[in-house]
Amino acid sequence: TPIAHFAWMPNRPGASIVATVLPFMAVAFGGFAVLTALALRYIRRSAAKIAEGESRLRHLAMHDPLSGLPNRAFFGERLSQVIMDTGMDGSVAAVFAIDLDHFKDINDTLGHHIGDALIGVVAQRLVHAMRREDLVARLGGDEFAVITTEAADLEGLHRFAERVIAVLRAPYSISGHTLLIGASIGIAVIDGQTTEAADVMRRSDV
């Protein structure tokens, strides 16, 4: 005759702990994922801002603030590259050194603000007169330079220089003043045999 009945109920503490901790773990992992996403987004934005700032600083360092054209440093880098390229592939390039005539007289008589405005217009005329592939730079003061890889022959370059001089000699209307200036252009041809651009420099003065 049975005296008593015993029932064994297994105790599973691990399951209880998991059931208790699991919601907190889910919240923790969710928060970590959100923080990671925010951190990555911040890093990407910071990197983009840094790259943009570096690009802006390089642009300021390599461009003339008055005319917006590449400056002497930019011109020097491009010229070195062009000389290297012509030596490697045997192509021909040319450099125009442009100096404005009577610009100092305008600066002295009408003021620097008129001279600065004149420089800006001269820069626009030069850019419009050249091909898109050509580099137009302001070296400083009233000195400009152009690098072109379209240099068929020296006679053609002289004709092109004359057209540029005609463009620059056309009257300027700035702040109610009609201004007339001239221009001098030196031409240097660069090819695979040229060691220095100044070796074949010719000058056309007006």
Side-chain angles (χ1 to χ4, degrees):
T1 304
I3 300 174
H5 293 277
F6 295 93
W8 178 62
M9 301 294 294
N11 186 16
R12 298 179 179 178
S16 300
I17 293 173
V18 170
T20 303
V21 175
L22 188 60
F24 296 100
M25 293 179 64
V27 173
F29 280 115
F32 178 75
V34 171
L35 289 176
T36 302
L38 292 175
L40 290 176
R41 184 179 179 183
Y42 174 78
I43 291 173
R44 285 196 295 267
R45 286 187 174 182
S46 299
K49 288 182 178 179
I50 292 174
E52 182 182 354
E54 290 178 349
S55 178
R56 187 183 303 113
L57 288 176
R58 175 169 174 79
H59 184 274
L60 293 175
M62 303 297 285
H63 287 76
D64 172 55
L66 181 59
S67 64
L69 296 177
N71 60 13
R72 184 182 294 271
F74 195 127
F75 174 81
E77 288 187 3
R78 177 66 64 85
L79 181 60
S80 298
Q81 185 63 47
V82 168
I83 293 175
M84 184 182 303
D85 293 341
T86 56
M88 294 177 60
D89 57 22
S91 59
V92 180
V95 176
F96 295 89
I98 305 171
D99 184 68
L100 303 182
D101 300 330
H102 312 301
F103 175 76
K104 185 177 183 301
D105 298 336
I106 294 175
N107 250 353
D108 294 341
T109 56
L110 299 178
H112 289 284
H113 65 289
I114 299 295
D116 292 346
L118 178 59
I119 288 294
V121 179
V122 168
Q124 294 176 6
R125 290 190 181 185
L126 285 175
V127 171
H128 292 156
M130 302 298 170
R131 301 181 309 152
R132 180 176 298 181
E133 298 82 2
D134 299 334
L135 174 71
V136 182
R138 184 188 179 210
L139 305 184
D142 59 350
E143 298 178 1
F144 295 84
V146 176
I147 300 176
T148 179
T149 55
E150 188 69 22
D153 56 73
L154 192 58
E155 183 179 351
L157 292 175
H158 274 288
R159 289 196 301 267
F160 184 75
E162 291 174 358
R163 291 197 298 270
V164 172
I165 290 176
V167 168
L168 296 180
R169 293 183 65 188
Y172 298 82
S173 180
I174 298 176
S175 299
H177 300 279
T178 300
L179 307 178
L180 296 174
I181 60 173
S184 302
I185 297 183
I187 305 173
V189 178
I190 309 170
D191 56 33
Q193 305 300 322
T194 304
T195 55
E196 293 185 8
D199 288 345
V200 288
M201 178 73 75
R202 293 193 178 185
R203 193 170 183 82
S204 175
D205 297 322
V206 175

